[in-house]
Amino acid sequence: MVNLMKIRNKIIEKIYELLKNHTAFWILLLVVTLTSLFYDNFLISRNISNLLRQNSMLGISAIGLTFVVFTGGIDLSIPSVVALAGVVFAEFSGFGFYTALFAALFAAAICGMLNGILICRTKIAPFIVTLATYYAIKGIVYTYTRNFSIKVIDSPEVTFISRTFIHGIPISFIILVICGIVCALVLHYSSFGRHLLAVGGNEEAAHYMGINVNLVKTAAYTLSSTFTGLGGIILACRLIAAQPMAGEGWDMQALSAIVIGGTLLKGGKGSFIGTILGILTLGIVMNAISLQTSLSSWWQWIVRGGFLLIVVVVQGIVEIYNEKQKNS
Amino acid sequence: MEKTQDTQSNIIFELILKKYGTVIVLLLFIFLNILFTKNFFTISSILNILQQASVTALLSVGMTLVASTGNYDLAIGSYVALVGVICALMLRAGIPTFFAVLSCFVVVILFELVAGYIVAYLKIQSIIVTIALQTLVKGVATVITGGNVIQITDKSLLFFGQGRIFGIPFQIILTVVIIALFIFIMSRSVFSRKLSATGDNENAAILVGIKTQRIKMMAFMLCGLLSTFAGLIVTAKIEGADPANIGADFPLSAIAATAIGGTPLTGGKPRIVGTVIGVMIIQLIDTSINMNNIQYSYSLIIKAVIIILSLLFQNSKKD
């Protein structure tokens, strides 16, 4: 009898351990299973490749934002950086693809660096600084474009990064996965990655350890904007036009994906792969709503909000349960 | 001797700058407007500015309370939209105005109770909880109306946004009374001390015996109360419920006003007077840009610069 209890406890513990360490993966699996059970036309290759293509731009930007979240910060300037990168790319696309790519990424990186320097120099909360740069960059984009979209001059490369599929997998999704893997490697195997987590975990302690906190933070914001810029460029390539309104709401969606991926918003812990899984989860939930044609499009707000709330609450309960186990 | 005097005056200057920096920015703004904006210094335009500021002021005071516990509430814009929808539905069903308004308060405060509970007891970051609630509540409100505008013609409800008492718009009076009440309460109640203690150093507050979780929930619920008032005013102003287009900008403006007002966003003493000054600064930016026919795109840039500058004033030489 005692043996049986022991075995049972052990099994529960194992399942619990698995669930605990890979929450994002399990959530994704659950969502995929449910969606493919309820909707026959979910698991067909056209739907899947479309889904991957739609979410990869937001995903690349979310990868960037993950750097900032690691330091315990937030970046609200994402939507305007998306628009800015698109506009710069469109303006330079006449000079060749690579010139335009470089110019747009450079512009985005400058925005991120500005964010980082302002946050480190003035000690104003990241929320407010990036809110201000959001307004400022948006203002610049509107002033420049006069609220019209700008045509991107088409080239083979533009088609390649936005509208090409390899065995049904879009190139933009492959770019997202490569970005995720490279960032994960950087996080785990470089001193920058360790410094990033140290700064997020305890800024003061990191400072006394001899880490250049300001440099690490500025780098995080610069990376965030650069990745967001890349997302914006791919979006502009896909639409063959840069729109000043592009990217609205991306900051909140990316943040949701990051949280679903298991990254702590207070910093110091998390993973890039989790972010990608989070993006896919949210994408599939959105996809399921569009497959359910009887619901009006307003329902996507309810489902997205409700889903996020449930995930977050469950994560919180698991966390509390964990702590209780640790203490007892 | 001269040198010490010099540093002394420097210190005093810095103190003044730190304490009254936002007031100086506001006065500067009013002064510039009087000089350059036509018809600025007339009673009708001043009333107009106050009228436009009243909604943001109510929301920002609520946000200040939440921010002083170290949290954000990004869902207030959606509550404003929801209030309109509830009123419209209730009135259409023939329920008396009083009960329609009452049910708005009940529903919004219940939502905030849930938000506060999740933030305080499950210890989840408020920013993500309120993003989820913002999306959810906005979705519920829009699905109910189907994305359309529902008109409201009830006279007593419209009084919130269009009524006048002795020529002064009722919403200004309401806002001033509510905010004065909050300033009064916050300056002498135990609750305000507990609020500051919770935001400043939660562990210390717990050790002193403050039930910080309850305080956080209270802050969220008070924020809900104020957002409902704001929602009633907005609903009466536009004479209907329009959840698809309303409320997206409110939380960001409210947080900006709170930060300009000097409440630390990481938690600490709530500075309601400062927040009101912050609201006035943001409102004056909008108004002066409108009255001088400056393009919307420039207004965004100017807003950004002023937010950063007024915070720099406060933070100068903090260390």
Side-chain angles (χ1 to χ4, degrees):
Chain A
M1 198 61 204
V2 176
N3 240 346
L4 213 66
M5 281 289 280
K6 247 185 190 167
I7 292 169
R8 204 198 66 162
N9 277 350
K10 207 160 198 184
I11 290 171
I12 290 177
E13 211 171 89
K14 268 268 153 31
I15 293 173
Y16 176 70
E17 198 95 315
L18 266 176
L19 270 174
K20 193 177 76 181
N21 292 335
H22 305 278
T23 341
F25 176 73
W26 293 110
I27 296 171
L28 179 63
L29 198 67
L30 185 75
V31 170
V32 168
T33 321
L34 285 180
T35 319
S36 49
L37 275 181
F38 282 113
Y39 304 100
D40 293 333
N41 43 2
F42 170 67
L43 270 183
I44 56 175
S45 62
R46 236 180 90 198
N47 186 38
I48 295 292
S49 48
N50 207 10
L51 178 109
L52 294 180
R53 192 176 72 157
Q54 271 171 356
N55 288 293
S56 46
M57 286 90 68
L58 176 60
I60 293 170
S61 155
I63 294 271
L65 182 59
T66 312
F67 279 108
V68 170
V69 173
F70 278 149
T71 69
I74 191 172
D75 189 350
L76 296 183
S77 68
I78 283 178
S80 18
V81 174
V82 170
L84 179 78
V87 167
V88 173
F89 182 79
E91 279 300 320
F92 280 87
S93 61
F95 300 105
F97 175 78
Y98 291 102
T99 320
L101 184 76
F102 181 74
L105 286 181
F106 186 70
I110 292 287
C111 294
M113 210 182 282
L114 184 73
N115 274 335
I117 290 171
L118 273 175
I119 287 164
C120 295
R121 280 275 154 193
T122 62
K123 310 280 180 214
I124 302 173
F127 198 100
I128 295 297
V129 171
T130 53
L131 177 63
T133 48
Y134 163 74
Y135 285 138
I137 300 167
K138 187 118 266 193
I140 291 168
V141 170
Y142 278 158
T143 313
Y144 182 73
T145 62
R146 294 203 195 82
N147 219 350
F148 291 114
S149 42
I150 299 177
K151 192 180 176 326
V152 170
I153 292 164
D154 212 348
S155 66
E157 288 94 342
V158 168
T159 315
F160 178 72
I161 69 165
S162 61
R163 274 164 284 149
T164 311
F165 296 85
I166 298 178
H167 297 299
I169 299 173
I171 296 291
S172 48
F173 184 71
I174 295 176
I175 296 176
L176 166 65
V177 172
I178 292 173
C179 287
I181 291 173
V182 169
C183 290
L185 290 178
V186 166
L187 183 69
H188 290 294
Y189 296 106
S190 76
S191 55
F192 174 68
R194 280 190 295 275
H195 289 178
L196 206 60
L197 292 180
V199 168
N202 188 337
E203 209 173 305
E204 217 162 302
H207 176 71
Y208 286 123
M209 270 162 62
I211 294 172
N212 189 341
V213 174
N214 287 353
L215 187 70
V216 171
K217 274 180 152 179
T218 310
Y221 283 94
T222 311
L223 282 169
S224 166
S225 286
T226 313
F227 277 104
T228 303
L230 183 60
I233 291 167
I234 297 177
L235 182 69
C237 288
R238 204 185 127 195
L239 305 171
I240 330 182
Q243 292 171 336
M245 277 295 287
E248 279 305 317
W250 278 26
D251 47 348
M252 298 303 168
Q253 286 177 39
L255 205 63
S256 314
I258 289 170
V259 171
I260 292 173
T263 300
L264 294 182
L265 284 185
K266 58 175 181 259
K269 198 188 147 204
S271 79
F272 288 101
I273 306 300
T275 300
I276 296 180
L277 296 178
I279 281 286
L280 289 178
T281 311
L282 277 183
I284 290 168
V285 171
M286 287 295 100
N287 190 248
I289 299 169
S290 62
L291 290 174
Q292 177 80 39
T293 43
S294 61
L295 293 179
S296 70
S297 63
W298 303 112
W299 272 90
Q300 61 157 305
W301 293 91
I302 297 187
V303 175
R304 207 164 66 195
F307 180 75
L308 183 61
L309 198 64
I310 291 169
V311 169
V312 163
V313 166
V314 169
Q315 276 178 354
I317 293 171
V318 168
E319 194 67 31
I320 286 174
Y321 184 73
N322 266 349
E323 250 169 49
K324 261 187 196 158
Q325 284 243 314
K326 220 185 266 174
N327 289 341
S328 63
Chain B
M1 196 60 205
E2 217 173 69
K3 207 175 179 186
T4 48
Q5 229 171 15
D6 208 38
T7 46
Q8 212 166 26
S9 67
N10 255 346
I11 289 169
I12 291 169
F13 180 69
E14 270 162 26
L15 270 178
I16 289 174
L17 206 61
K18 210 175 128 186
K19 195 153 188 206
Y20 299 106
T22 39
V23 183
I24 294 168
V25 172
L26 179 65
L27 290 179
L28 201 72
F29 230 99
I30 292 173
F31 184 66
L32 282 178
N33 266 313
I34 290 173
L35 280 187
F36 294 112
T37 311
K38 268 185 197 167
N39 299 330
F40 175 77
F41 208 60
T42 57
I43 288 178
S44 70
S45 84
I46 288 173
L47 282 183
N48 197 12
I49 291 168
L50 289 177
Q51 210 170 339
Q52 280 166 356
S54 60
V55 172
T56 328
L58 286 172
L59 291 171
S60 304
V61 170
M63 185 68 85
T64 306
L65 299 180
V66 175
S68 71
T69 66
N71 292 306
Y72 300 97
D73 191 347
L74 298 179
I76 49 176
S78 299
Y79 297 140
V80 169
L82 185 69
V83 164
V85 175
I86 295 173
C87 279
L89 283 187
M90 291 270 184
L91 291 174
R92 196 195 260 173
I95 292 167
T97 321
F98 175 73
F99 289 106
V101 171
L102 192 69
S103 54
C104 290
F105 280 104
V106 172
V107 171
V108 172
I109 291 175
L110 273 180
F111 266 113
E112 285 288 47
L113 181 76
V114 172
Y117 182 85
I118 296 174
V119 169
Y121 287 89
L122 301 183
K123 297 193 174 65
I124 301 167
Q125 296 267 311
S126 57
I127 185 163
I128 199 74
V129 174
T130 52
I131 285 175
L133 274 172
Q134 174 201 34
T135 325
L136 184 71
V137 172
K138 181 171 181 167
V140 170
T142 342
V143 164
I144 291 174
T145 66
N148 302 317
V149 182
I150 301 182
Q151 270 223 323
I152 291 176
T153 48
D154 186 88
K155 278 278 175 312
S156 42
L157 181 64
L158 293 188
F159 190 74
F160 271 104
Q162 300 175 351
R164 280 170 183 264
I165 295 176
F166 303 123
I168 302 170
F170 177 63
Q171 47 181 312
I172 297 178
I173 299 173
L174 183 71
T175 310
V176 168
V177 168
I178 291 174
I179 290 176
L181 206 66
F182 266 88
I183 292 172
F184 181 75
I185 293 171
M186 282 301 145
S187 62
R188 30 197 88 196
S189 72
V190 184
F191 174 70
S192 132
R193 305 268 172 82
K194 287 182 176 172
L195 202 64
S196 321
T198 305
D200 233 7
N201 189 339
E202 196 177 343
N203 290 333
I206 292 171
L207 289 178
V208 174
I210 297 171
K211 295 197 172 69
T212 55
Q213 291 167 327
R214 261 190 228 172
I215 297 290
K216 278 186 196 170
M217 271 171 76
M218 277 297 283
F220 270 95
M221 284 159 75
L222 285 174
C223 181
L225 183 82
L226 288 164
S227 337
T228 318
F229 276 116
L232 289 172
I233 292 176
V234 169
T235 309
K237 249 188 209 170
I238 62 170
E239 299 186 26
D242 183 15
N245 299 317
I246 273 212
D249 290 342
F250 286 141
L252 295 182
S253 320
I255 291 174
T258 306
I260 291 174
T263 308
L265 291 181
T266 47
K269 196 174 179 355
R271 297 180 192 279
I272 294 179
V273 182
T275 301
V276 174
I277 294 171
V279 171
M280 290 316 295
I281 290 177
I282 289 182
Q283 188 56 52
L284 276 178
I285 300 172
D286 286 345
T287 313
S288 45
I289 281 163
N290 276 337
M291 290 176 84
N292 289 314
N293 284 329
I294 300 173
Q295 271 180 25
Y296 171 70
S297 49
Y298 292 119
S299 85
L300 289 174
I301 302 174
I302 295 170
K303 212 181 213 174
V305 171
I306 287 168
I307 289 175
I308 293 288
L309 275 186
S310 48
L311 281 169
L312 272 182
F313 258 132
Q314 280 170 35
N315 282 25
S316 57
K317 303 282 167 84
K318 207 171 199 173
D319 307 315

